[in-house]
């Protein structure tokens, strides 16, 4: 399966109502990883086997789909990295069944 064909349908419950959306490719994989991670969130290092630009995928989800994704700064030896935490209530309504690449995340 290529990233180009990977597709996820989702709904977001917010105070203004339920919004539905469809994401494809790496952005879809990032959404699944965020949902799977729950309140612990996900870092680029944790998704390094498939997400080379996790922050960019999170930006896309924020800007184009209105999702609330918090980015916490975590210090470590040699610098810091961001941990992305999905705060919107997202429900996956349909998607590709082959998510083996995300199991490592």
């Amino acid at each position: 399966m290529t990233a180009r064909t990977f597709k996820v349908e989702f709904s977001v419950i917010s105070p203004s109502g339920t919004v539905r959306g469809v994401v494809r490719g790496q952005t879809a994989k990032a959404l699944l990883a965020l949902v799977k991670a729950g309140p612990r969130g996900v870092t680029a290092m944790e998704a390094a086997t498939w997400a080379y630009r996790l922050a960019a995928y999170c930006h896309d989800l924020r800007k184009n789909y209105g999702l609330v994704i918090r980015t916490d700064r975590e210090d470590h030896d040699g610098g810091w990295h961001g941990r992305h935490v999905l705060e919107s209530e997202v429900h996956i309504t349909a998607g590709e069944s082959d998510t083996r690449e995300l199991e490592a995340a």
Side-chain angles (χ1 to χ4, degrees):
M1 173 181 308
T2 64
R4 191 171 316 171
T5 62
F6 194 83
K7 177 176 87 171
V8 171
E9 297 176 22
F10 66 95
S11 62
V12 180
I13 299 171
S14 69
S16 60
T18 300
V19 177
R20 299 187 194 296
V22 177
V23 288
R24 289 178 169 72
Q26 296 297 81
T27 304
K29 290 180 182 182
L31 177 60
L32 288 177
L34 288 164
V35 169
K36 179 181 174 185
R40 76 176 165 84
V42 65
T43 68
M45 181 64 113
E46 294 167 348
T49 60
W50 58 268
Y52 300 111
R53 301 187 63 218
L54 182 62
Y57 309 138
C58 289
H59 174 75
D60 184 33
L61 291 167
R62 287 182 187 112
K63 183 176 179 178
N64 297 323
Y65 300 94
L67 300 184
V68 178
I69 301 170
R70 184 181 80 238
T71 302
D72 298 331
R73 182 179 171 139
E74 293 186 353
D75 294 319
H76 59 79
D77 291 341
W80 64 274
H81 61 259
R83 178 169 297 276
H84 306 280
V85 181
L86 180 64
E87 293 188 334
S88 295
E89 187 177 341
V90 174
H91 299 279
I92 304 301
T93 56
E96 301 293 334
S97 59
D98 186 1
T99 59
R100 288 178 293 211
E101 292 180 60
L102 298 176
E103 294 304 315

